[in-house]
Amino acid sequence: ARGIRSEATVIDWGDSYADPPVLTAFFANHEIIYLPDFDRYVNPTNRDAPFDALDLSLSGKPVVRITPEGVLARTPASTPTANRYRYTANLALNSNDSIEGKATYDMGPNMESVPRSWLSEAKSMELAATDLLKSTDEGGAGTFTTSDPHDLLTKFSIEGTWQSPHATTPHGKGVLLHIPDGLDFYAPSEMKGKLSFNGQRKTPMIAGAADYEWADTLNLPESVVVKEIPKDIELN
């Protein structure tokens, strides 16, 4: 509508990252556009992604721009900044062993599209929070407060609150308590699949460039005595 030039561009939107030995029509399964005046690749198919978003499975990929001459090129590589995710939760353990939590989020352009899409389609913010908590060990109910998920010109703002009734597990004369997942869109437990029990992977995997950080503050009742905490773990 504004007269911005664009070129149809074919690409593989999936887990194939190697350059095909021979370019045929079957190397691609998706079409994006290239804006030559801005040197920018854009995926209009994803209606929940901000303009600068190009998810991991579209980053660093060979493409063919459909021009009279045809142009073989590559989309920009993924960056930690574009795939940044920050989850900050303040948790309180109650005397009845339930947990109350409040979470805030800070996400790069690529990470916003999943919660934008999910929350824009939810029947209510309460149902969205409860559905997310169903996948956790502690369960519970809660709600989200968000900016307009459809407003792609504004950074997506989310805040979540919840209560989980089953936060602890009886163990001997005490209880075991793990940090609850809560209303986390990209829970660290998902990262376990990237690790190997013996410390060394023998099969390749797709990781991508990303920057994740989780910060949980757990407030305990005065009557609770902490007898043991897990040792620190460092992964390289």
Side-chain angles (χ1 to χ4, degrees):
R2 294 183 178 273
I4 298 174
R5 294 191 303 148
S6 66
E7 298 172 357
T9 302
V10 293
I11 188 173
D12 173 78
W13 195 3
D15 294 335
S16 176
Y17 289 84
D19 291 353
V22 178
L23 278 176
T24 69
F26 300 102
F27 99 94
N29 61 9
H30 185 58
E31 181 181 321
I32 58 177
I33 61 173
Y34 175 69
L35 308 178
D37 295 334
F38 299 90
D39 190 24
R40 189 80 57 88
Y41 291 92
V42 182
N43 183 24
T45 303
N46 190 346
R47 295 178 178 270
D48 299 299
F51 185 76
D52 281 334
L54 204 64
D55 67 42
L56 288 172
S57 56
L58 291 174
S59 300
K61 291 287 193 75
V63 299
V64 174
R65 302 207 300 262
I66 309 302
T67 66
E69 301 80 17
V71 178
L72 179 62
R74 185 177 295 276
T75 56
S78 61
T79 66
T81 301
N83 298 292
R84 185 188 71 257
Y85 178 71
R86 297 287 185 272
Y87 174 82
T88 304
N90 193 283
L91 309 166
L93 177 66
N94 298 321
S95 56
N96 62 357
D97 290 342
S98 66
I99 281 277
E100 292 184 10
K102 180 178 181 179
T104 58
Y105 313 78
D106 180 31
M107 288 175 277
N110 289 343
M111 310 304 285
E112 285 187 8
S113 61
V114 169
R116 276 184 188 270
S117 175
W118 192 53
L119 294 175
S120 66
E121 297 175 359
K123 294 182 178 179
S124 72
M125 294 297 100
E126 290 78 14
L127 284 175
T130 301
D131 285 344
L132 187 57
L133 290 166
K134 284 180 181 178
S135 62
T136 68
D137 292 335
E138 62 273 7
T143 189
F144 288 105
T145 303
T146 76
S147 57
D148 183 0
H150 300 290
D151 182 5
L152 300 181
L153 297 178
T154 305
K155 183 176 175 59
F156 196 33
S157 172
I158 316 176
E159 185 177 281
T161 57
W162 77 96
Q163 185 176 48
S164 297
H166 308 297
T168 64
T169 301
H171 181 72
K173 295 182 179 180
V175 297
L176 296 176
L177 171 65
H178 73 274
I179 301 299
D181 283 335
L183 295 177
D184 191 352
F185 293 102
Y186 301 95
S189 56
E190 298 177 4
M191 300 297 158
K192 290 182 179 179
K194 301 178 183 296
L195 305 177
S196 172
F197 289 109
N198 63 7
Q200 183 178 1
R201 290 190 61 89
K202 295 184 179 180
T203 55
M205 61 165 293
I206 299 170
D211 180 9
Y212 293 83
E213 183 177 298
W214 298 267
D216 295 88
T217 301
L218 180 60
N219 302 285
L220 303 175
E222 293 183 358
S223 58
V224 171
V225 177
V226 178
K227 292 187 176 181
E228 185 179 357
I229 60 175
K231 296 179 180 178
D232 291 340
I233 298 176
E234 293 185 6
L235 298 174
N236 298 311

